[in-house]
Amino acid sequence: MRNALLRYARCQVGNDQEWHWRSVPLSTAAVALLKGLPNVVAGGACFALTSANLDVLFRRVRDRAGIKNLTFHDSRHEAITRMASKLDVLSMARVVGHKDIRMLQISYNETAEQLAQRLG
């Protein structure tokens, strides 16, 4: 929670071969949500969930909502597209954890109309 007050979260990310820590910036709304959580033991996780738990919970909520063919990655894609109106490309790559900004070309699909609006 100390980091939340500084507006970032420390997350351990990676795969079976390589794990590393990364700092993720938090919006004002995210900090407010975290402040509403019960106190977390120092150095402990805010949420006691594994990736398998998250997968099951996501699928359960998706199915209850009656949404077909939606993946967790689709929600990441949507978040990146929405964030693009607030951040420049390099900042956005850091927030989402891409080491190569070319990765954003896969996740970010701003329309010609949105680009025109940004041009003014």
Side-chain angles (χ1 to χ4, degrees), residues 21-35:
W21 287 92
R22 158 173 124 70
S23 295
V24 179
L26 300 171
S27 67
T28 304
V31 171
L33 287 171
L34 289 172
K35 284 181 180 178

Side-chain angles (χ1 to χ4, degrees), residues 1 6-7 21 32 36 67 82 93 101 106 118 120:
M1 285 306 295
L6 298 174
R7 298 211 36 201
W21 287 92
I67 301 171
R82 288 180 184 216
I101 62 170
I106 298 167
R118 289 177 65 192

Side-chain angles (χ1 to χ4, degrees), residues 81-82 84-85 108-120:
T81 298
R82 288 180 184 216
S85 66
Y108 166 62
N109 294 48
E110 194 167 25
T111 67
E113 182 180 358
Q114 290 167 322
L115 290 168
Q117 287 175 349
R118 289 177 65 192
L119 286 172

Side-chain angles (χ1 to χ4, degrees), residues 65-99:
I67 301 171
K68 299 195 183 308
N69 300 322
L70 181 72
T71 66
F72 187 79
H73 189 76
D74 293 332
S75 63
R76 178 178 166 90
H77 177 94
E78 178 68 17
I80 290 170
T81 298
R82 288 180 184 216
M83 210 180 322
S85 66
K86 298 181 179 198
L87 299 173
D88 62 83
V89 174
L90 292 175
S91 297
M92 196 163 46
R94 287 197 68 172
V95 169
V96 300
H98 290 318
K99 293 179 182 173

Side-chain angles (χ1 to χ4, degrees), residues 41-65:
V41 176
C46 289
F47 308 102
L49 296 171
T50 65
S51 59
N53 294 140
L54 287 172
D55 183 54
V56 169
L57 292 171
F58 176 84
R59 290 170 190 265
R60 191 176 294 158
V61 170
R62 177 201 61 198
D63 294 346
R64 283 186 188 160

